[in-house]
Amino acid sequence: MAERKCTLSVLVENTPGALARIAGLFSGRGFNIDSLCVAETLDPTLSHLTLVTRGDDQIIEQIIKQLRRLIDVYKVVDVTEEGDFVEREMALIKVRAEKENREEIYRLCEIFRLKIVDVSPRTYIIEVTGDKEKLEAVIELLRPMGIKEIVRTGLIAMKREKKNP
Amino acid sequence: MGQIMTGARMVIEALKKEGVEIVFGYPGGAIIDVYDELYKNPEIHHVLVRHEQGAAHAADGYARSTGKVGVAIVTSGPGATNTVTGIATAYMDSIPIVVITGQVPTKLIGNDAFQEVDITGITRPITKHNFLVKRIEDLPRILKAAFYIARTGRPGPVLVDLPKDVQQAKGEFNYLEEIHLRSYNPTYEPHLKQIEKAYLLLEKAERPVFLIGGGVISSDAAPEVRELAEKLNLPVTMTLMGLGGFPGDHEQSLGMLGMHGTYYANMAVAHCDVLLAVGARFDDRVTGKVDAFAPNAKIIHIDIDPSSIQKNVKVDVPIVGDCKRALTRLLEMIKEVGKPKKYWKERFKEWWEQIDIWRRRYPLSYKEDPNYIKPQYVIEKLYELTKGEAIICTEVGQNQMWTAQYYKFKYPRTLITSGGLGTMGFGFPASIGAQMGNPGKLVIDIAGDGSIQMNIQELATAMDQKLPIKIIILNNGYLGMVRQWQELFYEKRYSAVKLTTLPDFVKIAEAYGAVGMRITKPQEVEPTLKKILNMDKLAILDVIIAPEEGVFPMVPAGKATTEMILV
Ligand SMILES: Cc1ncc(C[n+]2csc(CCOP(=O)(O)OP(=O)(O)O)c2C)c(N)n1
Ligand SMILES: [Mg+2]
C-alpha cells in the first residue's frame, strides 16, 4: 500500500501527561512523527496539536484510532483526508549577510515578502512563513549565501470553511 | 458542602463509595498515611502480600473472577516499580484494576528524592490511564475517574500516584455520583446498519465459524453467545481469553484455536466462509501467519475498542460496540427475520459433517505411559472430579496450555490466566485474589515448577487469609515450554531450561503450615486429587510428570494455522 503524508489536527486536555502520552504512543507503536506543533486554544483547558505523520491507509487509520483511545484526547481530525485546508509553517533563518551579498538578500526578501527580523554586522535573521514548498524554495535560494542556522516551527493546519454553504 | 478530611481519608471514603471491600497491598513511608486510615477503617479488608507484584496480580485475579474492580495499594519507588509486571499483565488482558501508589511530597518531585520514581511516566504505556495528584482539591474527582475509567469501555488498569503531602492535606470530599469525561466516551450501542450487514453475511454463509475472545467474558455476554450459537447452529471456537465464554463441553464447541488450539478449530477457521469474531483481537498466537488466516472468509468483527478492528486482519463488517449489546441486537434481528431453526440446521449440515471428520481425524490426544504421569491426564481427571465447577488459575508455559486444552471450561470467569503478557508467577497470586473474591468456591492454581517459584512467597499471604487454595505443580524439572521450542526448532540445544535445583515443594508447603504431597505414578493421580480437593486447607500437590512431554498440536510461530505439528 502506498505511503502518504497525513496532517492530523488533535485537541487534547491541557493536562501534564497528555503530550508525553501522545509522544509515547508514536514511539511505542513505531509510528512516525515528521513534525509536531503544540499550543493553547481559545479554551484554556484544551491544547491543540498539529501532527504530521506518514503511513499507508491502514497505519494512518491505526494512528487515528490509537490517538482517540487515549483518555485525554478530545478530538482527532485527519485534515489531509478532509481535503480543503490551509497549511503554514514558519522558519527563522540566520544567514551570512556580508557587504557583497546584503543587497541580493534584501532583494530576495522583497520578492518573497520575507521579513528581516534581526540585523547584525555579519548576519540577518529572516522570517519566512508559508507552506512547505515556499519554505524549501526560500531555503534553497538562501543556501548559496551561507545559512548558519535554521529553526522551523513545524506545520500547522486548519480546515477551510465551505465557500457556499 | 462535602465533609472536610485528609487525602488519605478520602482514599478510604472513595473505596467505600465504589463498593470496594478488599484491597491488596504493602505499606511504606510514602503511603503510611493511607495505611493509618486503613487501620482506623477495618471494614475495608486489607490483604498484606509479600511482594507488590503479588498485590497487583491478586487485585487482577479478584477482578477477573468477580467482574469487579480490583485494588492494590503500595508505597513509592520500589513498591511502585514492583507492581509494573502486574499492571502490564492486567493491561494486556483488559482487566479493571486501580493501583494506588504513594509518592514523595510534591515539592520533592523531580529531585531524585529517597524512594522517588516517576511511576506515571513508567506506567504510561501499560495503563489505560494514570494520574499524578498534585492538589487535594483534585483528589475526589480523580479517584472517581480512576474507577470509572478502569471499569468502563474496554476495561484496563488505572494508576493513581498520590504524594505524601496530598495524603496529609485537608480538603472537601465531594464525591460525584456520576462522572462525565468529555474526552472519553466509549461506544456501547452498535450501529444497526452494521448489525444488518452482519446478519446478511450469516444468512448467506455456508461454512460459518463463531470465534469468541475475552471481550465476551468482560461484557458478560456468555448467555447471548450461547443463544446465538444454538439458534444458528454455529461451530464455536475460543481464544485463550475466551475460554468459558461458551461451554467447553457443548457439542458445538471446537475448543481453543491458534498456536496450541485443536486441529479441528484451526481447520474450521482456515476453511470457513464467514467468521464472526466477538471480543477477540486477532493476536499472533491466534492467527499464525496472517495472510493464511481464514483466507476465504468474510470477517465480522465486534469489539468495543475501535483500534482492535482492522489492526491485524482485514475486516469486512466492523462493529464497534459492547459485545453483549451487539449480540443482543443481532439476536433481535434474527428473531425479526424469523427463519426457523431448521433452516440453519439444514444449511450448515455439510459443514458440520466436514467438521466432524476433522474432529474424528485428530481429536486432542496424548500417549499414556505406565511409568510416567502425563500432565494431560492430570487435567482431565481434575476436570472430571471438579465437574468443571472450579475456578482455575494457571501459570505460564506448558502447564497453561495443557489446562486450556484439557479442562473444558463451562462458565465465564472460571479460567484466570495471563493471556496477553504471558506472565510466569501470575497464577498463584491471582488465585489469592480469586479465592478472596469467591470464598465458597474451589480455587486451583495449575502451576509449573518454574513459574510457581516466581511468586512463591505469597504462600504466607494465602496462609494469613486462611485460603484453601490448591496448587497443583506439573513438575517436569524444566522450563518446559522453552525446552519444547528448543527441542522442535533448535535441535535439542537445551540452553538454560533445566531446573537443576528444585526445592522440595512438599517441605515448602509444610514450612508455611500448609499441606504438601507428592505423586509420581499414574495410579496415584485420582485418589490424591480427591484427597486434596476435599481438604479445607491450602495444599500443594507436586506432580512429577513425564519430563519431556510436549504440548500438541502446535503451530510453529509465524506459520499458517493449518501447518500444525500434531504429536
Ligand atoms: C516472567 C516470565 N519470564 C520468562 C517467560 C518465558 N517463558 C515462557 S514459558 C516458560 C517456562 C515456564 O516453565 P514452568 O513454569 O516450569 O512451566 P512448564 O512450561 O514447564 O509447564 C518461560 C521461561 C515468561 N513467560 N514469563
Ligand atoms: Mg516446568
Side-chain angles (χ1 to χ4, degrees):
Chain A
M1 254 191 281
E3 252 199 17
R4 66 177 173 99
K5 202 193 84 172
C6 163
T7 306
L8 298 177
S9 173
V10 186
L11 279 174
V12 299
E13 300 287 342
N14 189 4
T15 52
L19 190 58
R21 244 178 262 281
I22 289 171
L25 178 99
F26 276 74
S27 64
R29 293 190 182 265
F31 302 142
N32 295 301
I33 302 187
D34 287 353
S35 75
L36 176 64
C37 223
V38 195
E40 269 186 25
T41 63
L42 281 179
D43 176 350
T45 64
L46 287 174
S47 300
H48 182 270
L49 226 121
T50 308
L51 204 151
V52 182
T53 178
R54 266 169 301 122
D56 61 32
D57 286 344
Q58 198 240 340
I59 289 180
I60 288 175
E61 181 182 337
Q62 261 303 305
I63 292 175
I64 293 172
K65 284 176 168 177
Q66 292 291 348
L67 281 168
R68 290 196 176 130
R69 199 154 88 102
L70 296 176
I71 307 289
D72 281 337
V73 169
Y74 180 63
K75 197 172 175 193
V76 183
V77 179
D78 180 351
V79 194
T80 355
E81 177 99 283
E82 309 253 314
D84 210 8
F85 62 100
V86 183
E87 267 184 348
R88 286 293 179 273
E89 185 174 358
M90 191 181 99
L92 294 174
I93 306 170
K94 189 181 287 171
V95 64
R96 284 244 301 278
E98 314 269 0
K99 254 207 188 76
E100 66 279 8
N101 63 2
R102 284 206 170 215
E103 262 308 298
E104 196 181 342
I105 295 175
Y106 200 79
R107 251 200 327 277
L108 272 178
C109 290
E110 294 245 287
I111 296 169
F112 282 93
R113 296 204 202 104
L114 311 179
K115 265 195 250 167
I116 298 174
V117 291
D118 183 72
V119 178
S120 80
R122 325 199 97 176
T123 59
Y124 284 157
I125 296 180
I126 296 170
E127 174 193 316
V128 46
T129 305
D131 56 19
K132 205 174 150 82
E133 284 69 37
K134 176 173 176 183
L135 259 69
E136 313 246 279
V138 167
I139 290 167
E140 280 323 301
L141 284 168
L142 289 174
R143 203 183 289 281
M145 319 285 166
I147 294 177
K148 299 188 74 173
E149 199 182 341
I150 300 181
V151 177
R152 295 170 69 154
T153 57
L155 221 56
I156 57 170
M158 188 178 268
K159 224 169 63 174
R160 290 182 207 268
E161 282 300 304
K162 289 211 171 59
K163 293 278 150 64
N164 10 301
Chain B
M1 245 315 259
Q3 224 182 314
I4 302 293
M5 61 179 78
T6 64
R9 182 62 191 265
M10 286 184 189
V11 171
I12 306 298
E13 294 305 320
L15 293 177
K16 289 185 197 161
K17 289 266 188 193
E18 295 296 335
V20 176
E21 290 162 354
I22 298 168
V23 299
F24 304 89
Y26 208 85
I31 193 78
I32 201 164
D33 293 274
V34 170
Y35 271 84
D36 194 44
E37 288 299 332
L38 280 169
Y39 184 87
K40 296 179 205 156
N41 290 273
E43 61 268 46
I44 293 186
H45 182 96
H46 176 267
V47 177
L48 176 66
V49 295
R50 296 302 190 270
H51 185 301
E52 290 88 348
Q53 184 185 353
H57 288 329
D60 178 324
Y62 177 87
R64 290 184 203 234
S65 62
T66 63
K68 297 189 236 169
V69 179
V71 178
I73 302 179
V74 301
T75 192
S76 68
T81 52
N82 271 349
T83 65
V84 167
T85 302
I87 293 171
T89 303
Y91 182 69
M92 289 294 276
D93 290 342
S94 309
I95 305 303
I97 61 172
V98 169
V99 178
I100 297 170
T101 51
Q103 181 55 284
V104 301
T106 44
K107 60 179 183 307
L108 288 182
I109 291 179
N111 280 14
D112 297 326
F114 178 64
Q115 295 195 328
E116 178 190 357
V117 74
D118 175 13
I119 196 65
T120 49
I122 290 171
T123 59
R124 213 167 269 136
I126 53 164
T127 48
K128 182 171 172 186
H129 198 61
N130 62 24
F131 298 94
L132 167 60
V133 189
K134 290 221 171 120
R135 307 180 315 161
I136 184 76
E137 304 90 86
D138 298 335
L139 184 56
R141 191 180 160 80
I142 286 178
L143 288 168
K144 178 77 202 177
F147 279 90
Y148 172 68
I149 291 169
R151 153 173 13 96
T152 52
R154 178 178 177 174
V158 177
L159 181 138
V160 180
D161 198 20
L162 196 53
K164 191 173 166 107
D165 55 326
V166 180
Q167 294 170 44
Q168 291 171 339
K170 283 197 171 169
E172 193 187 327
F173 184 69
N174 33 21
Y175 204 71
L176 297 168
E177 286 306 315
E178 262 179 57
I179 190 164
H180 169 73
L181 302 171
R182 65 177 167 182
S183 296
Y184 171 67
N185 296 294
T187 307
Y188 287 95
E189 209 44 65
H191 226 285
L192 282 181
K193 264 256 138 40
Q194 295 302 93
I195 299 282
E196 192 182 330
K197 280 189 201 157
Y199 173 76
L200 291 174
L201 271 186
L202 285 168
E203 199 186 72
K204 276 197 249 106
E206 295 191 349
R207 301 183 308 278
V209 168
F210 193 1
L211 161 60
I212 64 171
V216 162
I217 313 281
S218 58
S219 77
D220 291 324
E224 289 75 13
V225 164
R226 182 167 185 164
E227 192 182 339
L228 182 66
E230 287 181 346
K231 186 154 251 158
L232 267 52
N233 192 29
L234 301 171
V236 184
T237 180
M238 289 147 273
T239 68
L240 178 63
M241 296 307 296
L243 290 174
F246 183 74
D249 61 343
H250 195 290
E251 61 170 27
Q252 284 169 241
S253 165
L254 307 185
M256 184 170 73
L257 83 165
M259 182 175 272
H260 290 296
T262 62
Y263 171 78
Y264 35 95
N266 283 335
M267 290 303 274
V269 170
H271 291 88
C272 71
D273 65 349
V274 172
L275 183 67
L276 170 60
V278 182
R281 60 188 177 86
F282 297 105
D283 137 282
D284 52 284
R285 288 294 190 260
V286 162
T287 61
K289 188 169 149 209
V290 178
D291 304 332
F293 179 75
N296 308 312
K298 295 259 187 252
I299 300 182
I300 305 162
H301 189 183
I302 302 176
D303 204 290
I304 195 150
D305 179 0
S307 76
S308 281
I309 299 177
Q310 312 283 23
K311 184 165 73 178
N312 301 330
V313 299
K314 187 101 199 59
V315 170
D316 299 279
V317 182
I319 302 178
V320 176
D322 173 58
C323 297
K324 191 181 181 78
R325 287 200 213 180
L327 290 175
T328 305
R329 297 290 164 268
L330 187 54
L331 280 164
E332 284 165 4
M333 195 160 290
I334 290 164
K335 266 177 219 153
E336 215 169 282
V337 178
K339 294 235 187 277
K341 208 163 173 170
K342 217 174 112 218
Y343 170 87
W344 303 101
K345 260 235 141 62
E346 293 291 304
R347 215 172 150 70
F348 306 140
K349 209 168 146 231
E350 274 175 42
W351 179 226
W352 270 112
E353 280 167 12
Q354 175 60 58
I355 289 173
D356 285 334
I357 291 173
W358 287 325
R359 272 177 166 167
R360 278 194 301 272
R361 189 180 298 158
Y362 294 112
L364 275 179
S365 70
Y366 59 93
K367 289 197 193 75
E368 282 174 51
D369 182 335
N371 300 314
Y372 285 116
I373 299 176
K374 288 297 177 101
Q376 301 91 332
Y377 175 72
V378 178
I379 309 292
E380 271 179 349
K381 276 290 156 222
L382 193 65
Y383 173 70
E384 269 175 47
L385 293 172
T386 58
K387 304 185 184 66
E389 301 288 331
I391 295 178
I392 307 284
C393 305
T394 81
E395 300 294 343
V396 167
Q398 295 182 310
N399 58 84
Q400 179 184 33
M401 290 299 121
W402 286 318
T403 305
Q405 292 179 331
Y406 288 88
Y407 198 94
K408 301 194 191 78
F409 293 92
K410 295 206 284 202
Y411 314 104
R413 304 194 184 283
T414 54
L415 170 61
I416 313 291
T417 195
S418 168
L421 198 67
T423 308
M424 289 171 69
F426 167 79
F428 178 45
S431 74
I432 293 177
Q435 186 76 82
M436 291 298 298
N438 299 270
K441 278 208 123 182
L442 178 59
V443 176
I444 301 169
D445 176 38
I446 302 196
D449 44 336
S451 301
I452 191 64
Q453 294 185 72
M454 284 211 175
N455 274 313
I456 201 159
Q457 75 287 346
E458 300 306 332
L459 280 169
T461 311
M463 292 305 290
D464 277 356
Q465 305 296 327
K466 305 191 169 48
L467 302 179
I469 298 166
K470 307 296 176 284
I471 303 172
I472 298 175
I473 303 176
L474 299 177
N475 189 339
N476 49 14
Y478 279 116
L479 301 174
M481 186 56 93
V482 182
R483 187 207 57 76
Q484 177 171 344
W485 282 49
Q486 291 170 344
E487 175 187 342
L488 295 174
F489 314 119
Y490 293 84
E491 289 152 348
K492 292 202 175 189
R493 290 187 296 277
Y494 287 170
S495 175
V497 289
K498 180 89 196 123
L499 297 171
T500 310
T501 299
L502 273 177
D504 182 333
F505 291 113
V506 173
K507 281 192 184 149
I508 286 193
E510 286 164 2
Y512 280 96
V515 174
M517 289 186 168
R518 177 173 302 114
I519 53 175
T520 54
K521 294 192 218 57
Q523 60 273 25
E524 294 174 298
V525 172
E526 189 164 347
T528 323
L529 276 178
K530 274 189 185 150
K531 207 182 280 169
I532 70 151
L533 292 179
N534 286 320
M535 279 176 191
D536 193 28
K537 205 168 178 199
L538 194 146
I540 295 183
L541 179 59
D542 185 19
V543 185
I544 310 299
I545 60 166
E548 302 212 356
E549 186 67 17
V551 181
F552 295 105
M554 174 177 198
V555 180
K559 286 273 169 61
T561 48
T562 45
E563 298 177 63
M564 284 165 270
I565 306 173
L566 287 161
V567 181

